[in-house]
Amino acid sequence: MSDVRPLDRKPYYVDHFEHLHRILGRPQLAGTFANLQCLVKSSNTRQYSNFRPGIGISGCVGVGIFVTSGSLITTSGSLGGPLSYLVAGIIAACVLYTLTEMVACRPLTGALIDLPHKFLDPAAGFAVAASYSLGNILSMACLTAYSAELTALMKSGNNPERHPPGVEVGITVAFIALTTVTHCFGVKLYGTIERVVAAFKLCLFILVCILMLVINVGAAGRRTGSYRGNYTTMAFPPGFKPTGFNATSNDLPHGTDVPDTQFGIPGSGGRIFGFLTSVTLAMFSCFGGETIAMTAGEANDAFRDVPVVMSFVYIVPLSLYPLALISAAANVNYADPGLPVMWALGDGSGGLSPFVLAVQTSAIAGVAKALHLFFIISAYTAANTELYVASRSVFMLAQTYLPRRVADIFGRTNNGHTPLGAILLCSMFGFVSLAGLSRQAYDQPRQTLSAFFIGSIACVYICECVTFLKFKAGLKRLEERKILSRNDPLYISRMFKSRWQPLPAYIGIAGCTFVVIWSGIPPLYILGARGGLTSTERLKSSVGLACDVLGAYSGPFLFAVFYLTYKHITPRSFSVKIDDLTPGDYVLGDLAVIEGEDLAVSGAVVESDGYQLEAQWRAASPTAASAEFEMNPDLREEYEMQQAHEEERKGVEEVLVRRPERMERPLWRELWSCVVADKHARSNPE
């Protein structure tokens, strides 16, 4: 079979019967810390395990909000930074809201990849799989490097020097090894860790907000240092200044023929430029909610739980990020010398967290070391989650698109249904994090990796929103045939209807397109103006700025290369036609049968496309309609078509009626079930 083109191969679950465990309940997907006895299915027995992974929250919350968010304050001010998180969160929420409806229809393993493959173009699915895998792998390396570097802050002093290269290499390798081992031992161990992590990160949000409020009202003692004034008055800087502001004055920067310490864009234009730049930087933290779509193949009751959980995850980027950063920005202004500055020549320290800076200038400075430790844990566990989603993406990439000999290595699972080959492959790329250990490199490798991640995932988000437009057009055609409609009560109650569409999809497309384009504009502008400055001692080098541009645009470039190569060179694919979309593409039957889990139990035969219901509906074609009546051929054809559509509609209704209602209880009760598992979830393993 190795000589067959990947596009012509059957889906992975037809030949291999490789699948991941569908054991995650609603609290596990959301990442909350409820006690739930989860069912672990195996081929012979059914046993319960105390399993509670925090995938949703851990995938969103990492180093961005707690450590590197200081660069948003230096770029756009104490108010501009939180507002940039708000705008970035709205963009991410629109995409996730749009994605939720499609995943509710097809909660298959690797749904993020399956959707563009099925509704848009197989080449789009391949591009999403490759870009999403690579982006998350490099994000894992970036977060691992941050974690290793942050350990140096546990040494004595307010801003100690970095570890020697040998020590940092050892810490980095230890982090990579620990991450790999926790995944290789299976999803049960990983879930146990993520259970604790989810509770920890939620508590950390509350802790830092309370600390910032206490400091701001003066309950933590008199402020010390050079910047102990009224920070709430420094909402926006006087312009955009790449090397950062030394004081909160109205000393406006200039464009040319000045030293780098006075270079920038003054006035309102500079403020807007800085704010737009902050939005692109904030997207690094707001990406991650789509991990629920990647874990849909491991949800125990995917049709019921995935839509609610994906909606619950919106709260993280849209609410918690701006709230947390505005609490810090009320205590630290844009001119604080301890904050990181994106385009200034660094000294390797990387700057401090705004939360830590606020604590260090108060009477409770000793709490700073505890915050450093908490932020290290947050960064490392985010890297752990990146490896999780990257390995699942590589698993699907190998199974669906790569030759058989590759699929047999990286698309296989062990007896515990753990994709060991994909995990080990992704872990190897974690050693890219060692590129930042050079004293001359400073923070550049991490900044380049994070920019690559932003560009790659933004392209994935754009593709998912474009997929929804085709998805919605196909449903419109089925509605005209009176088979299935987005407005049907069964569709709304058993699946999910995202309202106000296609506006959220267009916002997602426009917002992510802006992120892709704008990410490289600030370094390009600085690089172009650098030659006209009288001195550049404090400005990032030309090589560093070129790496910023490379990181910003290499992700979108590779996405285009993946798409065009698969579509036009090999194996070549064709866009999905709306007329070819059937009810079986939208309404799936038993997921266990489709993905090959319970064939022995059900005795069902999986069709080549994996959907046994579709075969049933094909049987209801016009040729199978009743021919008892003698009538005009044209009328007979119309009658047969109506009969076929009626049979298809009844088939859809029969499947949807058997599903549980998604929102059968009040909204607050559904959200509470993301925290505490329902009783029937404990007692009814099925």
Side-chain angles (χ1 to χ4, degrees):
M1 193 173 180
S2 60
D3 58 340
V4 180
R5 297 187 307 169
L7 185 61
D8 296 334
R9 285 222 319 267
K10 298 177 181 179
Y12 74 95
Y13 40 76
V14 174
D15 284 331
H16 298 292
F17 299 115
E18 297 283 352
H19 61 89
L20 305 174
H21 266 155
R22 285 193 173 273
I23 58 176
L24 306 185
R26 188 175 294 187
Q28 291 90 331
L29 292 170
T32 49
F33 41 91
N35 289 322
L36 178 63
Q37 300 297 324
C38 291
L39 178 69
V40 179
K41 294 182 180 179
S42 62
S43 57
N44 300 318
T45 63
R46 289 178 180 174
Q47 58 185 3
Y48 292 94
S49 67
N50 194 14
F51 174 64
R52 299 162 281 187
I55 297 169
I57 292 177
S58 188
C60 291
V61 182
V63 72
I65 179 61
F66 294 127
V67 180
T68 61
S69 57
S71 60
L72 303 184
I73 298 176
T74 58
T75 303
S76 58
S78 296
L79 184 57
L83 286 178
S84 63
Y85 264 130
L86 181 63
V87 174
I90 291 174
I91 295 173
C94 286
V95 176
L96 295 175
Y97 185 60
T98 299
L99 183 61
T100 299
E101 179 169 353
M102 296 189 292
V103 177
C105 287
R106 298 175 64 86
L108 297 169
T109 299
L112 204 67
I113 301 166
D114 168 76
L115 291 169
H117 181 105
K118 191 66 178 179
F119 294 101
L120 191 59
D121 192 314
F126 174 73
V128 167
S131 293
Y132 192 74
S133 300
L134 189 56
N136 280 283
I137 287 172
L138 295 183
S139 176
M140 176 199 67
C142 174
L143 292 169
T144 302
Y146 268 119
S147 304
E149 182 180 332
L150 288 174
T151 58
L153 298 177
M154 298 302 297
K155 297 187 293 186
S156 60
N158 286 341
N159 193 8
E161 295 183 355
R162 288 177 62 174
H163 292 301
V167 175
E168 197 158 332
V169 167
I171 296 173
T172 303
V173 171
F175 278 151
I176 296 173
L178 180 61
T179 302
T180 305
V181 168
T182 56
H183 284 275
C184 287
F185 275 108
V187 73
K188 285 177 61 178
L189 177 60
Y190 170 73
T192 302
I193 295 172
E194 291 294 274
R195 169 197 63 181
V196 179
V197 169
F200 165 78
K201 289 185 176 181
L202 289 174
C203 293
L204 185 56
F205 265 115
I206 298 173
L207 173 64
V208 295
C209 289
I210 292 176
L211 282 176
M212 296 302 103
L213 179 62
V214 168
I215 293 172
N216 189 257
V217 299
R222 183 177 177 83
R223 301 293 297 276
T224 60
S226 303
Y227 297 90
R228 57 180 183 271
N230 184 1
Y231 299 88
T232 58
T233 62
M234 315 303 175
F236 297 98
F240 172 73
K241 194 175 182 182
T243 59
F245 291 89
N246 297 323
T248 55
S249 64
N250 291 323
D251 184 16
L252 299 179
H254 304 279
T256 56
D257 298 326
V258 293
D260 54 6
T261 55
Q262 300 177 23
F263 164 66
I265 304 175
S268 300
R271 294 189 186 98
I272 295 174
F273 190 96
F275 176 73
L276 296 179
T277 303
S278 292
V279 171
T280 62
L281 299 176
M283 290 302 298
F284 181 84
S285 300
C286 293
F287 288 142
E290 79 288 341
T291 57
I292 302 299
M294 289 301 297
T295 60
E298 296 172 86
N300 187 32
D301 192 352
F303 290 121
R304 177 175 177 268
D305 294 337
V306 170
V308 176
V309 173
M310 288 192 67
S311 300
F312 170 72
V313 172
Y314 297 171
I315 298 176
V316 176
L318 191 58
S319 301
L320 297 184
Y321 286 172
L323 179 63
L325 187 57
I326 201 169
S327 68
N331 296 285
V332 180
N333 63 46
Y334 59 82
D336 196 304
L339 291 175
V341 181
M342 281 292 298
W343 295 281
L345 183 62
D347 57 1
S349 63
L352 294 176
S353 163
F355 303 97
V356 171
L357 285 173
V359 169
Q360 287 181 347
T361 59
S362 69
I364 54 174
V367 178
K369 294 300 180 184
L371 289 182
H372 286 315
L373 176 61
F374 296 156
F375 297 160
I376 292 170
I377 296 173
S378 179
Y380 166 72
T381 51
N384 198 30
T385 303
E386 297 294 340
L387 176 61
Y388 172 80
V389 294
S391 64
R392 271 54 181 177
S393 182
V394 169
F395 173 79
M396 285 300 300
L397 174 66
Q399 285 281 12
T400 309
Y401 301 103
L402 301 184
R404 176 65 177 268
R405 60 182 179 273
V406 178
D408 286 339
I409 300 174
F410 302 113
R412 283 286 190 180
T413 62
N414 63 6
N415 292 335
H417 302 292
T418 301
L420 290 180
I423 291 173
L424 294 175
L425 176 65
C426 296
S427 297
M428 290 176 59
F429 284 92
F431 291 100
V432 174
S433 57
L434 299 178
L437 299 184
S438 171
R439 289 296 182 267
Q440 287 73 34
Y442 303 120
D443 301 323
Q444 189 56 55
R446 294 196 308 273
Q447 293 177 7
T448 302
L449 292 177
S450 63
F452 180 91
F453 172 78
I454 292 172
S456 298
I457 305 304
C459 289
V460 171
Y461 274 29
I462 293 171
C463 185
E464 298 297 335
C465 290
V466 173
T467 298
F468 177 81
L469 299 179
K470 180 71 74 70
F471 172 93
K472 184 173 180 290
L475 274 176
K476 183 67 174 178
R477 175 175 172 271
L478 294 179
E479 181 181 6
E480 293 172 352
R481 296 165 62 188
K482 299 181 180 180
I483 299 174
L484 178 65
S485 171
R486 296 178 71 239
N487 297 317
D488 286 345
L490 281 176
Y491 185 96
I492 297 173
S493 62
R494 264 63 173 186
M495 293 196 284
F496 180 84
K497 177 186 177 182
S498 53
R499 302 182 183 276
W500 311 297
Q501 292 287 4
L503 180 60
Y506 286 138
I507 293 176
I509 293 172
C512 292
T513 302
F514 159 76
V515 169
V516 168
I517 296 173
W518 191 269
S519 294
I521 289 180
L524 277 175
Y525 166 73
I526 299 170
L527 190 62
R530 198 172 188 275
L533 302 179
T534 58
S535 67
T536 57
E537 296 177 355
R538 295 194 56 188
L539 195 62
K540 184 183 289 189
S541 66
S542 298
V543 174
L545 292 169
C547 288
D548 286 336
V549 177
L550 179 65
Y553 294 132
S554 56
F557 173 76
L558 287 178
F559 186 92
V561 169
F562 293 143
Y563 176 79
L564 295 175
T565 300
Y566 194 95
K567 186 172 182 65
H568 297 293
I569 300 178
T570 181
R572 297 185 181 180
S573 67
F574 300 94
S575 299
V576 176
K577 296 181 180 179
I578 296 177
D579 292 343
D580 293 335
L581 296 176
T582 67
D585 296 327
Y586 293 90
V587 182
L588 306 184
D590 188 348
L591 296 179
V593 174
I594 290 174
E595 295 193 332
E597 293 184 49
D598 292 337
L599 287 180
V601 176
S602 64
V605 177
V606 181
E607 298 295 320
S608 61
D609 60 357
Y611 310 130
Q612 68 277 18
L613 290 173
E614 196 168 328
Q616 298 173 7
W617 288 329
R618 288 197 197 101
S621 61
T623 58
S626 173
E628 297 179 1
F629 304 100
E630 295 292 336
M631 60 180 66
N632 183 284
D634 293 337
L635 294 177
R636 178 180 177 180
E637 181 178 357
E638 181 180 353
Y639 171 79
E640 291 175 344
M641 186 66 69
Q642 292 177 353
Q643 289 292 101
H645 292 171
E646 180 66 19
E647 291 295 325
E648 288 180 312
R649 185 185 64 79
K650 290 180 179 179
V652 168
E653 289 182 352
E654 289 176 1
V655 174
L656 293 181
V657 166
R658 291 196 298 266
R659 294 184 187 176
E661 289 192 32
R662 178 181 49 82
M663 295 289 289
E664 56 188 350
R665 298 167 298 185
L667 177 61
W668 71 268
R669 185 64 185 86
E670 294 291 342
L671 293 178
W672 180 246
S673 67
C674 294
V675 179
V676 177
D678 297 328
K679 292 182 179 180
H680 78 270
R682 296 190 184 99
S683 58
N684 297 331
E686 295 300 319

